Each structure stands twice: as structure tokens, then as C-alpha cells.
Amino acid sequence: MSQLYFSDHYIEIGSSLPQGPNIYGLGERVSSFRLNTDNTYYTMWTLAQDCPYDTGHNSRGGNMYGHHPIYLDLRSGNVHGVFFHNFNAQDAVFTNEGGN
């Protein structure tokens, strides 16, 4: 069942996928390009304080890295993508609840 949960420090968005979905994306991979969606999760977090950039205001800049998570879903020769415009730490969680 799709759901949305929101509070001051937490947001959760749920969606249903078909059995054995073809999901790709959510950052760099060192394993299969197709994501494992069998009761697993992917954590996205980016911080690089040791790599400053020049802000013009002081000798040390700020964090110059970010992540721009997107996933692609391929179904019956069609594809759609979902972009998460959020730069905070986040998890993409896949479960097999309800047969999905």
C-alpha cells in the first residue's frame, strides 16, 4: 500500500512495485547494475569535510559533495524515473510485504 508519513525530522514515502521489479539507480554500484529488491536497503549519505572548496569568505569552504538520487523502473518496455530532491541522509528500503 502506498503511504506518506511526515514529521519535523522524518519523512517516509511508500510505493508498491510488481513482483521482481527491474529497478536501477540510487547511486554508484560495485555489484549488479540492477538493484536487489529482495528485502534489502540502500543508504545514501555524502559528506566530504576534508575537501573544501573556495567560498571567497574564509580559508575553509563547506561540503562540496551531494547526492542526487534517482531510480529507474523498467516495465514491459517502458521506463519511468523518480528523482528525490533531498540532500539529507536517506535510505531506500525494499520489502516483500504483501507479495510485492
Side-chain angles (χ1 to χ4, degrees), residues 2-93:
S2 299
Q3 62 184 15
L4 171 67
Y5 175 79
F6 178 78
S7 72
D8 289 340
H9 301 284
Y10 180 79
I11 186 169
E12 179 179 313
I13 301 169
S15 179
S16 297
L17 296 169
Q19 190 76 14
N22 295 301
I23 305 292
Y24 302 89
L26 298 178
E28 297 178 53
R29 297 280 155 248
V30 294
S31 59
S32 173
F33 186 55
R34 180 178 179 215
L35 297 180
N36 176 9
T37 58
D38 188 23
N39 291 317
T40 191
Y41 66 92
Y42 297 94
T43 299
M44 293 160 280
W45 170 251
T46 308
L47 180 64
Q49 292 180 350
D50 61 336
C51 188
Y53 65 95
D54 183 11
T55 63
H57 299 290
N58 56 35
S59 60
R60 180 148 177 98
N63 182 17
M64 65 181 275
Y65 291 100
H67 55 271
H68 313 283
I70 183 171
Y71 78 79
L72 301 175
D73 181 5
L74 177 63
R75 293 186 205 175
S76 304
N78 296 309
V79 66
H80 77 271
V82 177
F83 172 70
F84 299 95
H85 187 74
N86 174 22
F87 304 106
N88 299 305
Q90 54 194 299
D91 290 321
V93 180

